[in-house]
Amino acid sequence: MSNKIVLITGASRGIGAATARLFAANGYAVGINYRSRQDAAQAVQRDIEAQGGRCVLIQADVSVESEVINLFRQLDEQLGAPDCLVNNAGILHAQSKLEAMSAERINQLLSSNVTSAFICAREAIKRMSTAHGGSGGSIINVSSMAALKGSPNEYMDYAASKGAIDSMTRGLALEVAAYGIRVNAVRPGLIYTDIHADGGEPGRVDRLKEKIPLRRGGQPEEVAEAICWLASEKSAFVTGSFIDLSGGL
């Protein structure tokens, strides 16, 4: 996996940060995208550089098309064209039933979680596709088990956004397979990250872990391992597929 370049969106915390560290440990130069948590992104950068890895920080709100275009331009200039894109950026609003959700909330979430993945994938394809002179590559989308479960009474809008990511994963995989690009997704379940605090319940994993057949929540590093495998040549015959990281849920 050495001498390659990966861009990870939303890489300042949680699954994104763990994935950045693991890719770097496997010899990738890492583009660390973040929206607002510069201090957290810098901490990931320090960890990678302390281990002799190479990375760059690039601030961008990936729900904004012009910022995505600039993000990839900066990556081209500082590291080069990516061999792998990890669409990890996403947001979660406070727990709510649908009857209390505003259109503003729903549209903001869909823009941040879905539109961002589409336009980042678009820019990656322009660089990876053999039809554009690229040498192929891999796109890994971070979905969620919420896409299958629906998250009633809590995050139905978030679940719907991840359902869209699942559809995009399958459709895009078929669209670009002939051009050297593989597209897959991971679906994390209850993972210990601070996104639960964004939803208003930092201890959500502990509240629900007894419902998990393995009787524990997952760690970001466990999701990162699956993402790195999907990017590697060990998964060269895998596209349009999903890995569920849910402890059996």
Side-chain angles (χ1 to χ4, degrees), residues 74-98:
Q74 288 190 57
L75 185 74
D76 290 339
E77 294 172 353
Q78 296 183 54
L79 290 179
D83 298 284
C84 178
L85 166 68
V86 180
N87 271 320
N88 170 73
I91 64 171
L92 183 70
H93 289 308
Q95 293 172 344
S96 173
K97 291 185 176 182
L98 176 60

Side-chain angles (χ1 to χ4, degrees), residues 51 78 167 227 234 241:
Q51 299 301 317
Q78 296 183 54
S167 294
I227 292 171
K234 294 179 181 179
S241 296

Side-chain angles (χ1 to χ4, degrees), residues 73-172:
R73 184 180 299 119
Q74 288 190 57
L75 185 74
D76 290 339
E77 294 172 353
Q78 296 183 54
L79 290 179
D83 298 284
C84 178
L85 166 68
V86 180
N87 271 320
N88 170 73
I91 64 171
L92 183 70
H93 289 308
Q95 293 172 344
S96 173
K97 291 185 176 182
L98 176 60
E99 64 188 32
M101 293 181 187
S102 67
E104 180 181 8
R105 166 189 164 131
I106 295 166
N107 289 335
Q108 182 187 26
L109 189 141
L110 292 176
S111 177
S112 295
N113 293 7
V114 181
T115 303
S116 62
F118 272 77
I119 56 181
C120 285
R122 183 194 72 195
E123 293 304 307
I125 290 165
K126 290 178 180 178
R127 292 157 172 81
M128 296 176 181
S129 173
T130 56
H132 297 295
S135 55
S138 177
I139 296 172
I140 298 110
N141 296 321
V142 179
S143 178
S144 171
M145 289 300 292
L148 304 181
K149 303 297 183 180
S151 294
N153 304 307
E154 293 186 335
Y155 311 118
M156 196 185 301
D157 51 350
Y158 177 82
S161 76
K162 294 305 184 177
I165 292 298
D166 284 3
S167 294
M168 172 211 177
T169 298
R170 184 61 184 164
L172 186 59

